[in-house]
Amino acid sequence: MLMLLPGGGLGMNPTMDDMNLIQAQRHLVRDIGEEIDLEIGPGDDDPSFANTPLLGGPSQEPSAEEQGESKQMSMVSEIPNADQDILKAQPAKRKKKVVKRWREEWADTYKWAYVDVKEGTARIFCSVCKEYGRKHRRNPYGNEGSRNMQMSALEEHNNSLLHKEALRLQMASKDKIVVDKPIYVKALMSKTAGSIIEAALKRDPHEAEFIQSVQEAVHALERVIAKNPHYVNIMERLLEPERMIIFRVPWVDDRGETHVNRGFRVHFNQALGPCRGGIRFHPKMNLSVAKFLGFQQTLKNALSPYKLGGAAGGSDFDPKGKSDNEIMRFCQSFMNEIYRYFGTDKDLPSEEMGVGIREMGFLFGQYRRLAGNFQGSFTGPRIFWSGSSLRTEATAYGLVFFARLILAELNKDVKGLRCVVSGYGKIAMHVLEKLVANGALPITVSDSKGYLVDEDGFDYMKISFLRDLKSQQRSLRDYSKTYARSKYYDEAKPWNERCDFAIPCGSQNEIDQADAINLVNSGCRILVEGSNMPCTPEAVDVLKKANVIIAPAMAAGAGGVVAGEIELNHECNVMHWSPEDFESKLQEAMKQTFHRALKAAEDFGYQKESPEALLHGAVISAFLTIAQAMTDQGCV
């Protein structure tokens, strides 16, 4: 297995399986507000420190004074058998908990701490400074450190200019610090395919989301590349976007204060036509996410019946809590920089996370003003130049239609099946609506703070109530006050609820390895990706080994592409499609996409019943379409 360590080097360790490697090297990030217990042990000056695990020794029974303290945070690490004798020979390390009167002062440091392995030794790092040592360890002065001396080291650390500046920026963003995680690269059967991933890692070693999407695609294309080495050069060109635009977005809030955000637009590939892709406003938006979304959109557009290029973009602006006027000013500033790249023959933006009816209207208004013409190059709900009546529902309805196609291949019907849905946005709400219309039993929705489960299932009245809660900006917890059979779980995910199939509609990597195990144990047999790349690579491995059929977002989520093309079709601008006509056209497009993916999989030896059939077939079909166009157009 190839592994890119935080330092950036590639390494081989065939004797360690994926699970142990992940457990051994994963960073443990502490959320803001959590405390780490003070531990007295050998200091850096003690030569025995390098051989002493930080948390491996047995702990003493807590005293009566310690009974009332906050619960101890613990981390479990597996210790090799060879080290067991050493541990037994060493005296038990004495642990002290921070007393109440010191708790607030110590929390300022320890809530920024995380654990990592440095030169073979587990260390406590400061998440702000990324440093360790005497001033960053939980006991800065080893055995000699009194509380006063420890507090002096703490103050020295917190008063450093680097720490204070990083802390100021962190508090301004109101976000948790997230430590960069290692990027894991699985072994490939083909060295040729492996060279593509290695090249991407060398060029963009810190773009975790983009590298993850590249790995998924290359794994799916292994057999294709093995049959035709010419595709290696095509893939290398495809993985480098045609154009990446990064710009600042200054705007003024209602109090007259100036703010600056960063804007992105990635034109990934235009071999099949003008770019089409969403605009996302989210605090965690960055270039890696923009590239990953653009790459996924390129494949999705190529797989759909309507051939288009792929793009994506947005900003790290957070629309939550902002007034209409603040959002309007931000959208206008965003468009001032990017408008020259938009147009019917250039780039066709659409809504994405954080961008809906209101934002698309503001964006188009400023675009029309700057461009000086009224061309229908924007897509979005309730926009009067659009003719389709179900633009908002298209992606969500397409997901349910795709699930029905999979079940039909298994000679099953969606009626009566329990479905777990994540998310609380427009796609999740319309998924619930369509599941109910088809006789299924959706039982969950979720937000950033937890999830809601209703054992009786949602119906139209309950969905309407959920929409009212969202429009009134009330918590999902309030649902349980009206429906007693429901329950809201804080800081939890819905994947351990008993279900027949799941539709994640949240964000990328919302399902990790543990969540995938919960899904399998809960009876899930089909997972339809409602969001782009909702599963981590480890989660995908778990699902495939359990024979869970995965419908990738690039195929199952093609409904949005279909609706966008209908909107921009000239005939739709002079007539209004009825919901029945629109659904009929949407179902036909989803059926074509489904069979195109299955045929591509079968052409390269994947059985129709295999959990990899749709996952790999969708990538193969889309890539072959793009590769043909790129070959015909030469090296451009």
Side-chain angles (χ1 to χ4, degrees):
M1 181 199 310
L2 287 170
M3 179 185 70
L4 184 68
L5 296 174
L10 285 169
M12 295 291 294
N13 191 353
T15 62
M16 185 178 291
D17 58 30
D18 290 353
M19 188 80 68
N20 290 335
L21 182 59
I22 293 164
Q23 290 176 346
Q25 297 292 340
R26 175 176 292 166
H27 291 294
L28 299 176
V29 183
R30 295 303 178 202
D31 294 342
I32 294 175
E34 294 189 57
E35 297 180 25
I36 296 179
D37 294 332
L38 179 63
E39 180 179 15
I40 305 299
D44 284 347
D45 297 334
D46 190 332
S48 66
F49 174 74
N51 298 321
T52 305
L54 285 177
L55 299 164
S59 60
Q60 296 179 350
E61 290 295 324
S63 63
E65 180 184 355
E66 295 170 333
Q67 297 280 338
E69 297 301 320
S70 59
K71 65 178 183 179
Q72 178 180 354
M73 296 175 60
S74 60
M75 291 167 288
V76 180
S77 59
E78 295 182 5
I79 304 174
N81 293 331
D83 294 335
Q84 294 291 338
D85 295 335
I86 298 177
L87 288 178
K88 291 178 180 177
Q90 292 174 348
K93 297 200 305 181
R94 184 165 53 92
K95 295 186 177 182
K96 283 189 178 181
K97 290 191 174 183
V98 183
V99 294
K100 290 181 180 179
R101 68 175 180 271
W102 296 94
R103 184 178 298 160
E104 293 181 0
E105 295 155 301
W106 277 100
D108 286 338
T109 290
Y110 294 148
K111 67 188 178 184
W112 303 98
Y114 68 95
V115 178
D116 193 13
V117 176
K118 181 75 171 181
E119 299 175 353
T121 303
R123 305 276 192 179
I124 303 295
F125 285 80
C126 171
S127 296
V128 176
C129 306
K130 304 292 195 317
E131 295 288 345
Y132 76 95
R134 295 168 67 94
K135 297 176 185 177
H136 293 82
R137 292 194 58 215
R138 286 183 281 180
N139 177 18
Y141 283 88
N143 290 326
E144 304 175 29
S146 66
R147 284 200 180 102
N148 289 336
M149 294 175 66
Q150 291 160 5
M151 286 304 301
S152 297
L154 180 150
E155 290 171 3
E156 185 178 350
H157 166 226
N158 282 356
N159 288 333
S160 67
L161 293 178
L162 176 64
H163 181 91
K164 290 174 72 173
E165 178 63 13
L167 184 60
R168 184 188 68 79
L169 294 174
Q170 175 61 22
M171 294 303 293
S173 69
K174 296 180 181 179
D175 250 349
K176 295 177 182 178
I177 290 232
V178 178
V179 182
D180 293 336
K181 294 182 180 180
I183 299 175
Y184 296 99
V185 184
K186 300 176 185 177
L188 289 157
M189 295 171 59
S190 166
K191 290 185 179 179
T192 306
S195 68
I196 298 174
I197 295 181
E198 286 187 17
L201 281 166
K202 289 178 181 178
R203 178 168 289 183
D204 304 304
H206 304 297
E207 297 180 355
E209 295 85 1
F210 177 61
I211 294 298
Q212 182 182 338
S213 64
V214 170
Q215 286 190 73
E216 290 184 1
V218 172
H219 274 274
L221 294 171
E222 248 191 314
R223 297 183 184 181
V224 178
I225 293 172
K227 285 189 176 182
N228 192 343
H230 166 69
Y231 287 140
V232 174
N233 293 330
I234 296 292
M235 193 66 180
E236 288 176 347
R237 273 198 289 150
L238 175 61
L239 293 181
E240 186 63 23
E242 293 185 7
R243 188 176 297 106
M244 292 183 286
I245 307 156
I246 305 176
F247 53 97
R248 70 178 181 188
V249 188
W251 58 282
V252 180
D253 64 20
D254 292 339
R255 296 175 297 178
E257 296 181 4
T258 301
H259 303 269
V260 179
N261 286 92
R262 183 172 291 178
F264 307 90
R265 191 65 179 173
V266 177
H267 294 164
F268 215 94
N269 189 278
Q270 293 178 294
L272 295 176
C275 290
R276 160 69 66 78
I279 297 177
R280 173 182 290 192
F281 291 166
H282 192 274
K284 294 184 180 179
M285 186 68 183
N286 55 41
L287 184 59
S288 175
V289 174
K291 288 175 66 176
F292 132 67
L293 292 173
F295 181 53
Q296 293 278 309
Q297 191 68 44
T298 299
L299 297 175
K300 184 184 295 185
N301 291 347
L303 184 62
S304 72
Y306 308 97
K307 301 303 185 291
L308 289 165
S315 174
D316 56 2
F317 171 77
D318 188 358
K320 291 182 179 179
K322 306 293 192 301
S323 68
D324 287 350
N325 285 331
E326 288 175 328
I327 290 176
M328 180 186 70
R329 287 191 288 269
F330 176 84
C331 289
Q332 289 174 346
S333 181
F334 182 90
M335 188 54 62
N336 286 343
E337 179 64 31
I338 202 68
Y339 80 94
R340 53 182 62 87
Y341 298 101
F342 288 154
T344 52
D345 58 345
K346 297 179 183 178
D347 189 353
L348 309 162
S350 59
E351 72 275 11
E352 230 263 11
M353 186 185 299
V355 176
I357 300 170
R358 173 183 55 183
E359 290 79 9
M360 288 304 292
F362 291 150
L363 289 168
F364 178 78
Q366 186 71 356
Y367 172 79
R368 179 184 60 78
R369 181 182 183 185
L370 295 170
N373 56 56
F374 191 96
Q375 54 183 354
S377 58
F378 284 56
T379 64
R382 236 170 52 189
I383 302 293
F384 54 85
W385 64 87
S386 302
S388 62
S389 58
L390 292 175
R391 175 66 181 92
T392 314
E393 295 91 335
T395 302
Y397 285 14
L399 295 172
V400 180
F401 293 153
F402 208 88
R404 285 172 49 187
L405 290 168
I406 297 174
L407 289 166
E409 288 289 326
L410 301 174
N411 296 318
K412 294 183 179 180
D413 186 26
V414 72
K415 189 173 182 180
L417 298 184
R418 288 168 62 93
C419 180
V420 170
V421 179
S422 69
Y424 189 33
K426 57 181 180 290
I427 292 180
M429 289 294 98
H430 290 304
V431 164
L432 295 182
E433 182 182 277
K434 202 60 183 174
L435 287 171
V436 171
N438 284 268
L441 191 70
I443 59 172
T444 66
V445 288
S446 67
D447 57 18
S448 60
K449 298 178 181 178
Y451 78 92
L452 172 73
V453 57
D454 189 331
E455 285 296 332
D456 295 329
F458 299 112
D459 54 27
Y460 290 120
M461 185 177 296
K462 293 178 179 179
I463 294 172
S464 177
F465 182 60
L466 286 172
R467 287 199 172 101
D468 289 341
L469 290 177
K470 189 173 183 66
S471 64
Q472 297 166 16
Q473 297 184 349
R474 294 166 59 191
S475 171
L476 274 175
R477 296 182 183 87
D478 294 341
Y479 182 94
S480 299
K481 297 177 183 177
T482 304
Y483 297 97
R485 288 261 301 163
S486 65
K487 187 170 182 179
Y488 183 85
Y489 293 92
D490 287 301
E491 302 297 330
K493 300 178 184 179
W495 312 121
N496 59 349
E497 297 293 336
R498 184 173 60 85
C499 64
D500 298 295
F501 66 107
I503 306 181
C505 301
S507 61
Q508 68 268 12
N509 292 329
E510 61 177 298
I511 300 178
D512 59 23
Q513 188 179 59
D515 298 326
I517 293 172
N518 287 337
L519 272 172
V520 172
N521 292 337
S522 300
C524 179
R525 290 296 171 260
I526 298 172
L527 186 139
V528 181
E529 295 183 349
S531 55
N532 288 301
M533 202 169 71
C535 301
T536 65
E538 297 85 3
V540 172
D541 288 343
V542 170
L543 295 173
K544 287 195 297 187
K545 289 176 182 177
N547 289 321
V548 176
I549 298 174
I550 303 174
M554 70 181 66
V561 182
V562 175
E565 277 303 290
I566 292 176
E567 284 182 344
L568 296 177
N569 187 286
H570 176 70
E571 294 180 359
C572 285
N573 287 327
V574 295
M575 64 180 288
H576 188 82
W577 286 75
S578 68
E580 292 77 16
D581 292 336
F582 188 91
E583 283 203 33
S584 176
K585 196 169 186 65
L586 180 60
Q587 288 191 58
E588 180 59 31
M590 298 308 297
K591 188 174 182 181
Q592 290 179 31
T593 302
F594 176 78
H595 289 296
R596 188 178 292 116
L598 277 185
K599 184 179 184 305
E602 291 177 356
D603 289 344
F604 285 88
Y606 294 101
Q607 297 298 320
K608 185 168 60 173
E609 308 81 31
S610 168
E612 298 178 330
L614 286 171
L615 195 62
H616 291 178
V619 178
I620 292 170
S621 178
F623 173 75
L624 292 177
T625 302
I626 299 170
Q628 185 61 54
M630 293 178 68
T631 302
D632 294 343
Q633 295 172 23
C635 184
V636 294

